[in-house]
Amino acid sequence: IMKERRSNLEREVFMVFERACREQDFAVAEHLLQALEVMADRSGNAACLDAAYLSLRQRTLPKHRPH
């Protein structure tokens, strides 16, 4: 049950991270990313952390414009 709770917490933190990014509150997003890093280190499961980094990367890439 504890592992399931941690997993749920990671998903919830990730969802709030996504919301902070959508709302462009990057100071909060940074703290949430740090929390995801700690949780991934503890659990050995980096799925939510990887998704957060990918999401952040996609938000910071310039939009591709076809020629």
Side-chain angles (χ1 to χ4, degrees), residues 3-65:
K3 188 174 185 178
E4 183 178 317
R5 284 186 190 153
R6 272 192 223 122
S7 179
N8 287 339
L9 180 59
E10 286 179 58
R11 283 193 297 271
E12 289 176 18
V13 171
F14 174 72
M15 289 187 296
V16 176
F17 168 82
E18 286 280 287
R19 180 177 175 183
C21 288
R22 278 194 312 274
E23 295 179 6
Q24 297 184 356
D25 192 343
F26 297 111
V28 169
E30 181 179 0
H31 287 285
L32 293 165
L33 187 60
Q34 290 173 352
L36 288 169
E37 289 171 342
V38 169
M39 288 187 272
D41 188 48
R42 285 182 184 169
S43 70
N45 181 353
C48 286
L49 179 61
D50 291 345
Y53 278 123
L54 180 60
S55 174
L56 194 56
R57 180 70 178 136
Q58 290 172 340
R59 291 176 193 282
T60 60
L61 284 175
K63 301 290 183 220
H64 177 68
R65 294 188 182 150

